[in-house]
Amino acid sequence: MLTTRTIVRLFGSASKPSQATALLRNKAKGTKTQGSSFLDEKRVQVFGGKGGDGAISFMSLCHNEFAGPDGGDGGNGGHVLFQATLNVNSLSHLSSIIKGEDGEKGFPKNCFGRNGNPMIVEVPYGTTFKDENNKLVADLSSAEASVFIAARGGSGGKGNRFFATSENQSPEVAEYGAEGETITYVVEISTMAHIGLVGFPNAGKSTLLQAISRARPKVASYPFTTLKPHVGMVLYDDLEQISVADVPGLIEDAHKNRGLGISFLKHIERCVCLLFVIDLSSPDPIFQLQTLISELKHYNPSLIERPSIVLANKMDLKEAREKYVDFVKEVGKEVVVVPISAKHGLNLKELLARIRTFYDQETDKLKKKHAESKTKQTELDLLTWTR
């Protein structure tokens, strides 16, 4: 049973909305029916560049036809590196196969082949890399560890000049270039968005994201319309931008991977603040809220400690308005319940003001932490949060 004490610990006391005003754009959206989804996890296979082959060559001069071997060495293959940066915030640009440049072969006259250029791939700060056994290999969330060598290139082969000895002055042998490393990683982003929309299928999360941003997630009347998260940006009049993620819907026993629940819960784990979107026109809206809290608690107990509010959606329907008073009494006066209609834009300004309040509170915490320590890490955390 959802007691008042549980809800107070989860949601905290009601806070006043922010003074900043969200800019709801009146410009018509694009004609595309669905925008691109946000990618926060991807499986990639990386190949280090192959080393260049050594050359077999013999020098022939004007007055010395047999001047000896002069085959040069091949160049080294290029590494594959991932570099954390503030320039990107998604993994959608990553290819499933990433390969370093091959080294150039050796040439006559003792000319060495050129080394392959390293393949540098930019990823957001907070990106983690796990191997096929789900073991953490690298975490690019700190200022000191912002580059990860994912696969090393192969060494270049030696030319026949290298094998010349006093006993064998004309070797007809050279080395092949070594193959680069081949490794498979699961790449994940630790933080996907400032705000995450959590709710049952068809609770109105995608409609709400369309109403407050220019994102275009698919909207339909059947369950599990959204299978991948979509992220929209909310712009305020002081030029601050807050990212809001539409997370696929959860159902009962999602923590047991029912209805792809584990993968959907991973998306929620990467959101800093949570908005519980409740369909108030459903037969039992309080059951929806209880189930969502229970699933988060079973998956990761720390999720219920994050700042959250409850959105009573679909207030444009008569049955929702009739249940609103009883719903507020059931969850308790200490819980912030915002009645909205995502479809008709009802009360969205109050919602966006409260979202900004959450954002400002978290920003103030990071600024205070940076002022106390003055380290590169706290500065990086602040830049990552406000980018």
Side-chain angles (χ1 to χ4, degrees):
M1 189 65 183
L2 194 65
T3 63
T4 303
R5 181 177 299 177
T6 303
I7 298 177
V8 171
R9 185 174 63 253
L10 172 62
F11 298 100
S13 58
S15 56
K16 294 183 179 180
S18 172
Q19 298 298 322
T21 304
L23 301 178
L24 297 178
R25 302 177 183 178
N26 297 321
K27 180 182 176 182
K29 297 184 180 180
T31 57
K32 293 174 63 177
T33 57
Q34 183 177 359
S36 58
S37 59
F38 185 91
L39 198 61
D40 59 350
E41 181 177 349
K42 191 174 181 68
R43 186 184 183 91
V44 298
Q45 192 172 17
V46 293
F47 296 84
K50 180 183 180 299
D53 298 335
I56 299 177
S57 176
F58 296 93
M59 184 178 295
S60 179
L61 301 177
C62 179
H63 300 290
N64 186 0
E65 184 177 355
F66 305 102
D70 66 345
D73 299 346
N76 298 326
H79 302 330
V80 177
L81 300 92
F82 289 93
Q83 183 176 16
T85 176
L86 296 173
N87 297 331
V88 295
N89 57 8
S90 171
L91 300 179
S92 57
H93 64 287
L94 291 187
S95 173
S96 298
I97 297 177
I98 303 174
K99 193 176 187 303
E101 185 181 9
D102 293 340
E104 197 174 25
K105 68 178 182 178
F107 295 95
K109 298 183 180 179
N110 296 318
C111 293
F112 287 17
R114 181 179 61 84
N115 293 334
N117 292 323
M119 172 63 72
I120 302 177
V121 183
E122 292 186 340
V123 292
Y125 272 103
T127 302
T128 59
F129 297 83
K130 297 180 180 179
D131 60 16
E132 293 181 292
N133 298 322
N134 204 33
K135 181 181 178 181
L136 183 64
V137 179
D139 184 357
L140 303 184
S141 59
S142 64
E144 292 76 14
S146 60
V147 178
F148 169 52
I149 301 178
R152 297 182 180 274
S155 301
K158 301 294 184 182
N160 66 336
R161 180 188 65 86
F162 177 82
F163 297 97
T165 64
S166 58
E167 296 180 355
N168 184 7
Q169 298 182 3
S170 301
E172 297 182 358
V173 63
E175 286 183 337
Y176 287 115
E179 296 289 339
E181 293 181 328
T182 302
I183 308 176
T184 301
Y185 295 101
V186 177
V187 188
E188 299 179 355
I189 298 179
S190 58
T191 302
M192 178 174 64
H194 299 116
I195 307 294
L197 303 179
V198 184
F200 271 41
N202 285 120
K205 301 182 298 298
S206 298
T207 304
L208 177 59
L209 185 63
Q210 280 193 350
I212 63 177
S213 72
R214 297 187 62 82
R216 297 186 299 275
K218 185 177 180 180
V219 177
S221 59
Y222 53 85
F224 296 108
T225 309
T226 302
L227 295 177
K228 294 182 179 179
H230 289 75
V231 177
M233 302 302 295
V234 179
L235 179 65
Y236 289 81
D237 56 4
D238 58 353
L239 303 183
E240 283 286 359
Q241 294 187 92
I242 298 178
S243 55
V244 181
D246 171 22
V247 181
L250 298 179
I251 58 176
E252 194 173 7
D253 291 333
H255 68 281
K256 299 179 181 178
N257 207 26
R258 183 185 173 198
L260 298 177
I262 295 297
S263 61
F264 293 168
L265 285 165
K266 284 184 178 179
H267 299 316
I268 298 174
E269 198 173 19
R270 296 172 186 133
C271 299
V272 181
C273 304
L274 304 179
L275 301 183
F276 290 89
V277 183
I278 306 299
D279 180 5
L280 223 61
S281 65
S282 63
D284 193 355
I286 195 66
F287 170 77
Q288 288 192 10
L289 181 59
Q290 290 175 339
T291 302
L292 292 174
I293 296 173
S294 175
E295 294 304 319
L296 295 184
K297 188 175 182 179
H298 280 92
Y299 176 71
N300 185 353
S302 65
L303 289 178
I304 64 173
E305 302 297 333
R306 298 186 181 182
S308 312
I309 60 176
V310 177
L311 305 182
N313 194 21
K314 302 188 180 181
M315 290 297 293
D316 55 296
L317 301 178
K318 180 180 179 181
E319 52 267 32
R321 293 193 295 270
E322 293 174 348
K323 296 177 182 177
Y324 175 71
V325 176
D326 294 335
F327 179 78
V328 173
K329 289 181 180 179
E330 186 74 21
V331 298
K333 295 181 179 180
E334 296 84 358
V335 180
V336 180
V337 180
V338 181
I340 64 169
S341 172
K343 183 177 180 180
H344 296 279
L346 175 66
N347 213 22
L348 292 185
K349 288 188 176 181
E350 180 184 351
L351 168 62
L352 293 172
R354 294 191 180 277
I355 289 177
R356 179 57 189 272
T357 301
F358 282 143
Y359 177 83
D360 290 341
Q361 289 173 352
E362 189 67 23
T363 303
D364 292 340
K365 291 180 183 178
L366 292 173
K367 287 182 178 179
K368 183 178 180 181
K369 184 178 179 181
H370 176 56
E372 293 175 352
S373 60
K374 291 289 184 180
T375 63
K376 289 184 178 180
Q377 184 60 43
T378 56
E379 183 180 2
L380 174 61
D381 292 341
L382 183 59
L383 289 174
T384 304
W385 170 257
T386 57
R387 76 178 189 273

